[in-house]
Amino acid sequence: MIGQRATNITWHEGHVERASRHALLGQQGATIWLTGLSASGKSTIAFTAEHALTAAGRLAYVLDGDNIRHGLNSNLGFSPEDRTENIRRIGEVAKLFADAGVLTFTSFISPYRADRDLVRQMHVKAGLPFVEVHVAAPVEVCEQRDPKGLYQKARQGKIPEFTGISAPYEAPTAAELTLDTAELSPEQAAAALIDCLRQRGLLPAGI
Ligand code: ADP
């Protein structure tokens, strides 16, 4: 589905600069891309960080895998092509949010390195910060957690193409941050993530 289909369309440059939006909000936007196995803790960490940042007066928002699949991407399944299109669309939406000045967390398995790299490239091209976070936990730990019973179903063959069981997960090789959730609590992981954003100049000291 990638590629420009429509013809006779012209990019229209707006009159409000990104810097003006950032000044208005008192923050710059960024995409913080959480990737990892199902039940590794992506959503838990993203929502914990969103809550902490909001309490500290920062505008943050989570684009969450399951929620997005109910709406924007409700027409996509879990085939390799659909997973790629899922990530491309999320990447584009996150980029728009980041451009608007929002600290945007995305919580998607996003198993393919090439798909994540494509999203990174679209951010680099747009001059927007992109922070890749590997939420890492051994598949055995994720399977033991299994909050939605998905691993059990996958083991029973009821879910085809389940990442970590019957579909591949390509771990990042150069993520900005790796969070080992077998070792860190959700609170510790969210704190480490916020620390990373501070170190990268995306948050002022004291938050
Ligand atoms: P994902 O979004 O990666 O599929 P979720 O956040 O939905 O994962 O689920 C992770 C599950 O693991 C939750 O039930 C959460 O309470 C539990 N959990 C246990 N330890 C951790 C941890 N250190 N970090 C994040 N989640 C954890």
Side-chain angles (χ1 to χ4, degrees):
M1 283 195 222
I2 300 174
Q4 179 73 59
R5 292 226 183 125
T7 53
N8 298 317
I9 54 168
T10 310
W11 182 265
H12 195 120
E13 207 57 58
H15 302 291
V16 178
E17 291 184 1
R18 189 181 291 160
S20 306
R21 284 194 291 276
H22 291 179
L24 182 73
L25 290 169
Q27 67 178 54
Q28 70 167 310
T31 292
I32 302 114
W33 190 276
L34 278 67
T35 170
L37 296 172
S38 178
S40 58
K42 301 178 298 296
S43 297
T44 303
I45 294 167
F47 284 121
T48 304
E50 178 195 42
H51 188 234
L53 288 171
T54 304
R58 302 283 132 176
L59 183 58
Y61 193 84
V62 180
L63 298 171
D64 181 73
D66 281 2
N67 297 353
I68 294 281
R69 279 186 177 277
H70 276 100
L72 176 68
N73 290 353
S74 61
N75 64 329
L76 299 177
F78 290 90
S79 67
E81 296 74 23
D82 278 9
R83 284 182 193 257
T84 293
E85 176 60 9
N86 182 43
I87 297 310
R88 189 192 69 80
R89 283 187 204 170
I90 301 312
E92 292 286 357
V93 173
K95 193 181 82 175
L96 294 173
F97 271 61
D99 186 36
V102 182
L103 291 162
T104 309
F105 295 88
T106 65
S107 171
F108 295 83
I109 298 172
S110 44
Y112 303 129
R113 206 171 286 133
D115 294 349
R116 297 191 303 265
D117 286 348
L118 190 82
V119 177
R120 181 186 287 275
Q121 284 317 314
M122 59 172 87
H123 281 76
V124 169
K125 206 169 147 198
L128 289 163
F130 181 81
V131 181
E132 188 176 5
V133 181
H134 184 197
V135 181
V139 69
E140 299 77 35
V141 172
C142 297
E143 189 162 3
Q144 209 168 11
R145 290 178 184 159
D146 209 8
K148 298 173 199 153
L150 297 177
Y151 282 92
Q152 195 181 10
K153 277 194 194 164
R155 288 287 182 201
Q156 293 165 348
K158 291 181 186 159
I159 307 179
E161 304 184 271
F162 192 77
T163 302
I165 303 293
S166 47
Y169 177 74
E170 299 171 2
T173 50
E176 275 74 12
L177 180 69
T178 299
L179 297 169
D180 179 354
T181 64
E183 298 294 331
L184 299 170
S185 70
E187 292 77 15
Q188 287 171 328
L193 177 49
I194 289 173
D195 220 34
C196 168
L197 300 182
R198 201 181 298 115
Q199 280 167 20
R200 305 191 78 79
L202 296 170
L203 288 173
I207 288 184

